[in-house]
Amino acid sequence: MFKFTLKNKSYLLIGILLLLSGCGESKSSDSTPDEGTKSTYSELTLKEQETLNTLSTNQVELLDAINLQRSESRDCGSRGVFPAVPELTWNPLLYASALEHVTDLAYSNTFSHDGSGTEYDITGNGQPSKFYERILSNGYSNYYSVGENIAGGQRSLDKAMEAWMASPGHCENIMKSTYTEVGVAIVIKEDSTYQVYWGQNFGSRK
């Protein structure tokens, strides 16, 4: 059972990946909001909203976008060149933790791997939560490796993936062979800074 209790809405997320090193776990962090501030964004069009809402429930399309990148060798800049790696599979627990965090970011109008510590930070319960705490809280236990990617402002899946693959840290996370599962979520909140928030949670179990 998920601990995440906010009512179902159409959310979408692909963002920063974290890696926790030590004791067989790993963690690293990066974030890629589009440049600019709230004032630089025009209102989302009805078509953009409809497309994002549909995408947020399309596990196949979200998963295919990641596995397409993993299907070939990729140059991740300062992180090095990564060979093609096996496809990831969808995990609903990782999706739940990603959804919890991007919802928090959108509704608290913050942008960080840490939770906001507000009422929207469900796992934090009054304190800023960590990505691995959210993953554990949503039931993904006994893991070997977990990570998180977040992004803000991109209005299409292609743009979100382009931003991540152009960022050495995000690129490395997407190409890591140690991950076997993923969950991706998107949240839209028009009166927030980035309007569209993306999140990916990655993991593999022992």
Side-chain angles (χ1 to χ4, degrees):
M1 295 291 292
F2 300 154
K3 286 193 175 182
F4 181 65
T5 58
L6 292 181
K7 292 183 179 178
N8 289 335
K9 295 183 180 179
S10 293
Y11 298 130
L12 199 70
L13 204 153
I14 293 180
I16 303 177
L17 193 120
L18 290 162
L19 228 93
L20 171 69
S21 294
C23 301
E25 303 168 354
S26 62
K27 114 180 152 185
S28 70
S29 67
D30 292 289
S31 62
T32 55
D34 275 355
E35 291 184 3
T37 61
K38 183 177 179 180
S39 62
T40 68
Y41 289 106
S42 60
E43 294 295 320
L44 287 165
T45 66
L46 181 60
K47 183 176 182 180
E48 285 175 330
Q49 291 184 57
E50 290 176 346
T51 300
L52 289 169
N53 285 334
T54 299
L55 179 61
S56 69
T57 61
N58 192 334
Q59 297 177 8
V60 174
E61 188 172 355
L62 293 170
L63 188 58
D64 284 351
I66 298 168
N67 286 331
L68 177 62
Q69 298 300 324
R70 290 171 66 91
S71 68
E72 298 180 9
S73 175
R74 303 291 178 183
D75 186 347
C76 293
S78 61
R79 301 299 177 93
V81 176
F82 290 78
V85 286
E87 292 186 347
L88 301 178
T89 58
W90 187 270
N91 185 283
L93 303 177
L94 292 173
Y95 165 75
S97 62
L99 179 59
E100 176 184 329
H101 189 47
V102 287
T103 301
D104 176 24
L105 297 184
Y107 282 79
S108 66
N109 201 22
T110 57
F111 193 84
S112 171
H113 282 294
D114 290 341
S116 67
T118 69
E119 62 183 306
Y120 304 110
D121 185 358
I122 305 300
T123 295
N125 194 28
Q127 298 292 327
S129 62
K130 301 295 184 182
F131 85 97
Y132 51 87
E133 294 173 336
R134 294 188 293 270
I135 288 173
L136 282 171
S137 180
N138 281 281
Y140 195 81
S141 58
N142 195 33
Y143 61 78
Y144 169 74
S145 181
V146 291
E148 179 178 78
N149 274 354
I150 59 172
Q154 295 82 6
R155 297 188 176 199
S156 71
L157 179 56
D158 286 346
K159 290 295 185 184
M161 291 305 299
E162 285 175 11
W164 283 329
M165 295 308 293
S167 165
H170 291 91
C171 178
E172 178 185 13
N173 288 331
I174 289 169
M175 295 301 296
K176 270 197 168 293
S177 61
T178 52
Y179 296 129
T180 59
E181 300 175 299
V182 70
V184 182
I186 304 165
V187 171
I188 302 168
K189 194 169 190 303
E190 291 186 83
D191 61 350
S192 62
T193 298
Y194 297 116
Q195 299 187 35
V196 186
Y197 296 78
W198 305 74
Q200 297 171 325
N201 277 169
F202 301 81
S204 59
R205 303 215 202 193
K206 295 177 182 177

